[in-house]
């Protein structure tokens, strides 16, 4: 039985996001990780161009979708999980700590939290360190909060999908200044990842192409991160990392799509219920974030 999944990446250049189809060569079962819904902020219009590429790949290779996984509630793009589920099936899943994000941002958007929580739209919520399977592939999650309180990394065979926790070694680590984020907690999360075998393939959610590089990359490995990550390599003192991360975050602007993205993503990609005129509306908290 092989523990090496087939990993196909799909790059969404507008948001610098990598989505993945991770499949078991023995059974053709697969999972989709961190999908993207195309969104034009000026017109508040959506398209499924990126997801349709994933659908075409899944169908061309005769794959069966078991899971549609989210590493966290993304702030820089909208998920297309609902569309992919409608087209391909599969269970939409993420961390059970999604409730923390929903409560935090539900208050910011002034949503009815009790009604919101009663209509949980994720098909499955993982407990920390819970095991699962994709065909014959053995998989489990590692809780990696810090960027958000509900971040999970998925270990699937010889590969780990870390979301925004780490970037390529020449770019560093995720920001920690979102509500309920923490540089101290992120440091501890990275140490958990660094306990994985050094030859574990690591797949990232984003690449922002530093000036030292001319092409985008989505894959590295534990050994390379431990020895070369510019923010947090072996031997980096926790206090030094926290000070660096907090100083960097203080100078960052908010992600362009955070306000539409969070309210869609914390509902598993479900749009707000259409009003009497048949149109769905997003909410924007004016002057809340300054």
């Amino acid at each position: 039985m092989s523990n090496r999944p087939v990993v196909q990446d799909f790059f969404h250049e507008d948001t610098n996001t990598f989505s993945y189809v991770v499949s078991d060569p023995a059974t053709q079962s697969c999972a989709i990780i961190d999908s993207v819904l195309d969104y034009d902020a000026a017109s508040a219009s959506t398209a499924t161009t990126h997801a349709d590429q994933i659908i075409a790949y899944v169908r061309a290779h005769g794959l069966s979708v078991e899971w549609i996984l989210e590493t966290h509630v993304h702030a820089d793009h909208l998920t297309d999980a609902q569309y992919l589920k409608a087209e391909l099936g599969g269970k939409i899943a993420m961390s059970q700590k999604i409730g923390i994000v929903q409560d935090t941002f539900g208050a910011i958007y002034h949503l009815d939290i009790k009604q919101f929580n009663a209509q949980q739209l994720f098909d499955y919520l993982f407990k920390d360190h819970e095991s699962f399977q994709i065909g014959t592939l053995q998989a489990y999650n590692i809780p990696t909060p810090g960027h958000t309180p509900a971040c999970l990394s998925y270990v699937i065979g010889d590969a780990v999908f870390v979301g925004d926790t780490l970037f390529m070694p020449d770019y560093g680590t995720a920001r920690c200044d979102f509500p309920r984020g923490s540089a101290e907690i992120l440091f501890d999360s990275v140490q958990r990842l660094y306990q994985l075998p050094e030859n574990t393939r690591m797949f990232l959610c984003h690449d922002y192409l530093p000036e030292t590089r001319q092409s985008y990359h989505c894959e590295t490995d534990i050994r390379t991160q431990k020895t070369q990550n510019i923010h947090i390599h072996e031997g980096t003192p926790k206090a030094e990392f926290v000070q660096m991360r907090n100083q960097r975050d203080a100078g960052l602007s908010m992600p362009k799509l955070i306000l539409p993205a969070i309210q869609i993503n914390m509902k598993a990609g479900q749009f707000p219920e259409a009003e009497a005129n048949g149109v769905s509306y997003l909410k924007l908290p004016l002057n809340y974030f300054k």
Side-chain angles (χ1 to χ4, degrees):
M1 183 184 301
S2 172
N3 75 329
R4 186 176 178 87
V6 176
V7 179
Q8 179 62 53
D9 63 274
F10 298 84
F11 186 55
H12 189 259
E13 190 164 0
D14 287 349
T15 60
N16 294 85
T17 303
F18 285 99
S19 304
Y20 298 97
V21 175
V22 187
S23 58
D24 173 22
T27 64
Q28 303 302 102
S29 297
C30 74
I32 299 169
I33 302 179
D34 289 338
S35 65
V36 180
L37 175 68
D38 297 279
Y39 178 76
D40 180 72
S43 63
S45 60
T46 64
T48 60
T49 305
H50 184 71
D52 286 335
Q53 295 174 16
I54 293 174
I55 291 169
Y57 173 86
V58 167
R59 289 176 174 165
H61 289 79
L63 302 178
S64 175
V65 177
E66 295 188 357
W67 297 95
I68 299 173
L69 304 174
E70 302 287 351
T71 55
H72 63 293
V73 176
H74 305 275
D76 41 31
H77 69 268
L78 281 66
T79 179
D80 212 358
Q82 293 292 334
Y83 174 68
L84 288 166
K85 178 182 175 180
E87 293 292 316
L88 298 171
K91 296 188 291 289
I92 303 172
M94 70 165 306
S95 169
Q96 65 177 0
K97 293 191 175 79
I98 178 62
I100 301 172
V101 178
Q102 291 168 334
D103 288 347
T104 301
F105 278 91
I108 292 171
Y109 291 115
H110 200 233
L111 301 175
D112 184 336
I113 299 300
K114 290 183 179 179
Q115 181 182 9
F116 187 87
N117 290 339
Q119 298 174 338
Q120 183 59 262
L121 294 170
F122 288 89
D123 299 312
Y124 193 84
L125 297 178
F126 286 111
K127 298 176 183 177
D128 288 353
H129 306 286
E130 184 173 350
S131 297
F132 62 104
Q133 286 187 241
I134 303 168
T136 62
L137 291 170
Q138 300 298 316
Y140 65 95
N141 75 71
I142 298 174
T144 46
H147 176 58
T148 82
C151 289
L152 287 183
S153 294
Y154 296 104
V155 180
I156 304 172
D158 73 336
V160 60
F161 299 81
V162 299
D164 289 14
T165 303
L166 288 165
F167 299 130
M168 288 298 292
D170 57 6
Y171 205 84
T173 56
R175 64 192 295 168
C176 298
D177 58 330
F178 297 154
R180 306 296 292 270
S182 166
E184 290 89 348
I185 292 174
L186 182 68
F187 181 92
D188 295 338
S189 293
V190 172
Q191 304 314 308
R192 284 193 286 276
L193 291 174
Y194 284 177
Q195 296 304 306
L196 291 169
E198 290 195 338
N199 63 348
T200 302
R201 295 183 291 163
M202 180 183 290
F203 293 91
L204 316 170
C205 190
H206 298 288
D207 188 28
Y208 295 104
L209 200 63
E211 294 181 357
T212 54
R213 241 191 306 125
Q214 295 185 338
S215 60
Y216 292 102
H217 295 299
C218 65
E219 180 181 351
T220 178
D221 57 50
I222 295 294
R223 180 185 298 108
T224 304
Q225 291 282 28
K226 287 170 68 173
T227 58
Q228 299 180 25
N229 189 285
I230 61 172
H231 289 170
I232 186 167
H233 50 76
E234 279 187 313
T236 301
K238 184 174 184 177
E240 178 182 304
F241 171 79
V242 170
Q243 181 181 23
M244 176 281 301
R245 189 68 263 172
N246 288 339
Q247 287 178 347
R248 286 179 63 88
D249 290 348
L252 296 177
S253 58
M254 287 182 64
K256 294 179 180 178
L257 297 183
I258 184 172
L259 293 177
I262 293 291
Q263 61 188 297
I264 296 296
N265 294 343
M266 69 180 185
K267 296 174 66 177
Q270 185 76 43
F271 291 172
E273 186 175 348
E275 298 191 10
N277 61 356
V279 178
S280 296
Y281 291 87
L282 295 170
K283 298 180 72 173
L284 299 177
L286 287 174
N287 296 318
Y288 185 92
F289 295 101
K290 291 186 177 181

